[in-house]
Each structure stands twice: as structure tokens, then as C-alpha cells.
Amino acid sequence: MITGRTIARQTMLNLLGLGLPVLLALVCIPFTVHGLGAERFGILAVAWTAVGYLTLFDLGLGPALTKAVAERLASGEAEEIPSIAWTGQGMLLLFGAVGGGVLALVSPLLVHRVLNIPPELEAEALSALYLIALSIPSVLGTTGLRGLLEAYQRFGAVNALRLPMGAFTYVAPLAVLPFTPDLTYVVGLLVAGRILAWVAHLVVCLRQIPELRTVPVLRAEVLAPLARFGGWVTASNISSSVMIYSDRFLIGSVLSMAAVTFYTTPYDAVTKLWLLPGAVLGALFPAFSATFVTDRERTLRLFDQAIRVLFVLLFPVTLALVVFAREGLTLWLGAGFAAESTRVMQWLAIGVFINSIGMIPGAGLQGIGRPELTGKLNLLEMPFYVALLWALLHARGIEGAAIAWVVRVAADTGILCVLVGRALPNGGAVLRRTAAMMLPGVAVLLVAMELPTMAARAIFLLGTSAVFLLVSWSRILTPTERRTVRLRVGLESDLPALNPP
């Protein structure tokens, strides 16, 4: 049974799996930078960025597998799952080999012509890229196997594997540094960890999914629907990546590289909030796919609950970021940096809040089998966003870039909500509730940006928080959710009341 409680439990598991490695990174990265030196660490960062881009070679097969398997489970067609799973895994390994081959072919060009690598480090850098090329098939294969586990709602197993894999990424370099800072050995250990991670996922899948313990059978006829779904997911991912990173290139060309730093630093800080919707979506995507086959009313309830819970959790955090952006940046990076980046951080915090809510209808459309809508929407948005970004950069500088991003994600979220509202039964009611929450919430955040003194902002924060708690408890949360909260904090017992004789 897919219920709000199971989704909440799975979300918490995902938060642990995604969040703990981030905390570990905060501890390990300074030591890694010191041990490797700035040049070697920069090469390592570029190399892993290349891995991130080359994962696009999966052509969306990871989420396509999750959706296909979740649908078969919901419709009672489990006998088809082994052939789907093994066909998808075979294609992912093949695509990974192609992606690794591409990286291996362009590595000499990257090292000797494109990247400004010191001559004494070129040999290490080339070896590191060759090793990373070797790991691409296992990286893509792991994505597919994780998708299978998520389709079966095995989030405990997923995060039991994700945690040590994420920790290994940051701890492995520290294990090598006492012996040598040579990138060949550092990356070699990391690549070995990626390959072992794929083997571990394969073993866990075979143990937890008995249907897979058969002779692998590849079926050509399942490729077309997987490729069609995955193709639109890939188109959406590529266009989103272009829009996410185009602002940095335009800021650098229109303004300066210093302006890029003043923009990207608060961006990288506030987008850490995406951990929460990312954890929710990991649990929701297979749930959307499964329930849409058997009970579309339940799909709508999950969609509605996810938006409301994310709003309740994210709004107070976003409000605090907007209110204390200047003080936080001053404490973190100094008054000079805060003077340049405060307005940027405030706008970006509002944008991340809106975009986090928008991720729910985006995942909903993909989960119910309409990825072409998100793909076409992103492709349509791209030229308008770039034009708006260019105009506002000239008019308002890096604050203009932040405003352009907020306008884009607001339009994107609104359109996605409308599309999901039309695709689900009674979706219009959920759409109206979402608008009734989001419009006042964003208005409050915009007002908070304009308060001139810290005292005024602190008073505004306290008053708004009190009203928000009251409204959330009485109007946003359902009676069942309120009872769950009371149970969690010990204000109510789940034991039945005893009737006196």
C-alpha cells in the first residue's frame, strides 16, 4: 500500500542517504584541497563534473525503468519485469561504454588544449580521465539498478547502499593522501568504488527481487517505450541544465568573473534546500507511476499532500533566509561580499522555494507517462529565459539575473500545476489550493526583502511565523495529518479510549 505515511518514511530515508554525505563533504573537502593542492583538486572537480554530464548518456532509461516496473507491479504483470529490467540494464551498460569511449577520445584534447593544466600535471590528469571513462558503464548501470529498487519501494536498501557510496566519494581521497597526492591513485580508488557499488546494487537486486533470478532475457520490443519516455526525460534534463548554467556564462561575458562569484556563491548555498524536494521526489515518482494505473484518486491525494507538506516545511526556512540574508553573508564571507550578494541571495531563495514546489507537478507528469510535456515546456522556455536574462543583466546586473531565474521558475511551476490539474481527476481543486498557498507566501517573502533594518525584519519574522503556524495547523494540514503530528510529539495516544462501565 502506497500511503502518505509510507511516502514520509521513504522521504526520511532518502534525506539521510542524500544529506549525510553532504555533511561529510563539508568536513572532508578542506583536508582534500589542502592535501592535493588547488591545481590537483581543480582537475578532480572538473573530472567528476564530466561524469555528471556523461550520465546524460543513459538517455533517461533510469527513470523509464522505474516507471515501467512500478506500473507492472501495480497492474499485476510481474512476469514481464525480468525482461524489462535486464533489457534496460544491458542498454545502460552499452550507453555507458559509448559515453566512456567519448570521454576517452576527447581526454587528450581536454588536457592539452582546452583546460589550463600545468605541464607537470598533464600526465596525471590524462590518466585520471581515462580511469573515469572506464567507470561510466558502472555509473549508468547503478542508476538503473537503483531505479528497480525504488520501483519495488525498497528505499531502505537504496539508502543503505547510497550512504556508504556517498561517504566513500569524500573519504577515499583522504585514504590515499598519506601515501601520495598523485591523481592516478586517487581517481583509481574512486573508480574502484564505483564499480564495487554497481556490483553491490546487482547483488542486492537479486536478493530483494526474486523475479530477477532467471536467465537474463533481452527483448527488443520493450526498447521503444523505454526510449520514448527516456528521450523526453533527457530533453528536459538537457534544456534544464542549459538554463541553469547559462546565467554564469552570460554574467561572465556581460559583467565580470567577479560578478560570477558574487552570483554563484549564494546560488550554491540556497540550492542546498533542493535536498528536501529531491528526497520527496525519489519516493513519489514510483508511487505516481503505480497509483496512476490502479487508482488515480490516490495519485491526486499524493500530489496534493506532497505540495502541502513541502510548503509547510520550506516556507519558514525560506523566510529566515530572506530576512537574514545580509547578516548570514556578512558572518560567512564578510561585509563586502554581503553588499554585493544580499539581494541576489534573497531572490534566489524565493526562486528555490517556488521551484521546489514545481518539482512535484514535474515529477507527477513524468510519473503518469507524460514526460513530453515537461520536455516541450523546457525547450519552449529556453529562448524566452535567455532573452530575459540578457535584458535584466544589462538593466539590473547580477540582481537582474536572479530576478530572471525567479520569473522563469514561477512561470514553469504555474504551467506544470495547470497541466497536472488537467491530467488528474478533480485536479482543479488541488490547483486552486496550491495557488491559495503560494501567492500569499511569495508576497510575504517579497515584503520581507524590502524591510530596511534588522529589528524590523526580526519583528516581521516573529509575527509572520506565528500567523504561518496558525494557518498551517488550521487550514493547510488535514485532520489526519494533525493527528499524526500530535502522535509524533506525544500529545495524543494511538491507544483506543476505554469506555467506563
Side-chain angles (χ1 to χ4, degrees):
M1 291 291 291
I2 297 173
T3 64
R5 181 172 294 183
T6 61
I7 295 295
R9 183 172 62 251
Q10 292 157 1
T11 297
M12 290 305 300
L13 290 171
N14 287 341
L15 269 178
L16 290 173
L18 293 168
L20 291 180
V22 172
L23 296 177
L24 184 62
L26 295 176
V27 177
C28 293
I29 284 178
F31 294 101
T32 305
V33 173
H34 177 74
L36 287 176
E39 291 84 3
R40 282 190 172 94
F41 186 82
I43 295 169
L44 183 63
V46 168
W48 284 117
T49 300
V51 172
Y53 280 112
L54 285 169
T55 54
L56 291 173
F57 272 88
D58 77 342
L59 300 183
L61 278 182
L65 275 173
T66 302
K67 178 182 179 297
V69 172
E71 288 177 342
R72 298 308 190 281
L73 287 171
S75 59
E77 300 173 349
E79 70 278 358
E80 296 186 15
I81 290 175
S83 59
I84 294 173
W86 290 122
T87 300
Q89 184 66 194
M91 294 306 297
L92 283 168
L93 294 176
L94 177 61
F95 292 160
V98 173
V102 170
L103 178 58
L105 287 174
V106 302
S107 290
L109 178 65
L110 291 174
V111 170
H112 299 302
R113 300 290 181 85
V114 177
L115 301 174
N116 187 19
I117 296 175
E120 64 273 15
L121 295 179
E122 287 184 350
E124 288 183 38
L126 191 59
S127 298
L129 288 173
Y130 283 148
L131 286 168
I132 287 175
L134 184 66
S135 75
I136 301 299
S138 62
V139 171
L140 298 192
T142 299
T143 301
L145 295 172
R146 184 185 300 125
L148 287 176
L149 291 171
E150 289 175 347
Y152 276 84
Q153 305 289 314
R154 303 291 201 272
F155 286 92
V158 167
N159 289 287
L161 291 165
R162 178 183 279 147
L163 263 175
M165 188 170 75
F168 185 81
T169 299
Y170 300 109
V171 172
L174 297 180
V176 175
L177 286 177
F179 306 99
T180 176
D182 193 319
L183 283 174
T184 303
Y185 297 97
V186 173
V187 173
L189 184 57
L190 289 170
V191 167
R194 292 281 180 163
I195 295 172
L196 286 175
W198 175 77
V199 173
H201 277 78
L202 181 61
V203 170
V204 170
C205 281
L206 292 173
R207 287 183 176 178
Q208 300 233 350
I209 307 174
E211 296 89 341
L212 297 181
R213 300 173 198 167
T214 59
V215 177
V217 176
L218 306 183
R219 289 172 54 194
E221 61 269 23
V222 306
L223 288 178
L226 290 177
R228 185 164 54 249
F229 182 93
W232 280 114
V233 171
T234 301
S236 180
N237 290 341
I238 291 175
S239 55
S240 294
S241 297
V242 170
M243 287 188 284
I244 286 174
Y245 292 106
S246 60
D247 50 10
R248 297 148 201 244
F249 292 101
L250 284 177
I251 290 170
S253 62
V254 173
L255 301 176
S256 67
M257 294 309 295
V260 175
T261 300
F262 290 131
Y263 180 85
T264 58
T265 302
Y267 180 94
D268 291 339
V270 299
T271 52
K272 293 296 185 289
L273 288 176
W274 279 337
L275 275 176
L276 180 58
V280 173
L281 292 180
L284 275 179
F285 178 71
F288 283 148
S289 299
T291 57
F292 192 72
V293 173
T294 58
D295 186 354
R296 296 186 180 184
E297 288 288 346
R298 184 183 293 176
T299 308
L300 182 68
R301 291 196 297 272
L302 289 174
F303 173 71
D304 178 43
Q305 187 177 46
I307 287 181
R308 289 185 293 101
V309 170
L310 265 185
F311 179 88
V312 169
L313 293 176
L314 285 175
F315 178 80
V317 179
T318 307
L319 180 61
L321 283 173
V322 171
V323 166
F324 295 120
R326 181 176 297 276
E327 289 73 22
L329 285 170
T330 300
L331 184 64
W332 184 27
L333 298 166
F337 202 103
E340 298 288 343
S341 296
T342 294
R343 295 288 289 186
V344 172
M345 187 169 189
Q346 290 173 323
W347 279 111
L348 291 176
I350 295 173
V352 167
F353 169 65
I354 297 171
N355 185 242
S356 297
I357 302 299
M359 290 180 183
I360 302 299
L365 288 171
Q366 293 185 358
I368 66 177
R370 300 301 304 275
E372 76 280 3
L373 295 178
T374 58
K376 291 176 181 178
L377 178 60
N378 283 337
L379 292 172
L380 182 64
E381 288 174 348
M382 194 185 310
F384 293 101
Y385 169 63
V386 172
L388 180 64
L389 176 61
W390 180 269
L392 288 179
L393 268 175
H394 283 85
R396 301 283 293 272
I398 55 174
E399 183 183 355
I403 294 172
W405 189 72
V406 173
V407 170
R408 184 191 75 80
V409 298
D412 186 79
T413 298
I415 295 171
L416 289 172
C417 284
V418 170
L419 291 174
V420 171
R422 292 179 176 178
L424 294 174
N426 300 318
V430 175
L431 180 60
R432 289 189 290 272
R433 282 198 295 273
T434 301
M437 290 187 302
M438 291 298 293
L439 293 177
V442 172
V444 168
L445 295 173
L446 292 174
V447 170
M449 288 180 60
E450 303 303 325
L451 298 175
T453 65
M454 182 177 178
R457 284 182 271 121
I459 293 171
F460 182 81
L461 176 64
L462 290 174
T464 303
S465 298
V467 173
F468 173 76
L469 287 173
L470 179 62
V471 172
S472 296
W473 185 258
S474 61
R475 302 298 299 272
I476 297 179
L477 297 180
T478 65
T480 301
E481 290 163 350
R482 290 196 290 269
R483 183 170 185 271
T484 300
V485 173
R486 288 194 294 265
L487 287 171
R488 291 290 180 268
V489 299
L491 296 179
E492 183 176 324
S493 173
D494 57 357
L495 296 175
L498 296 177
N499 294 322

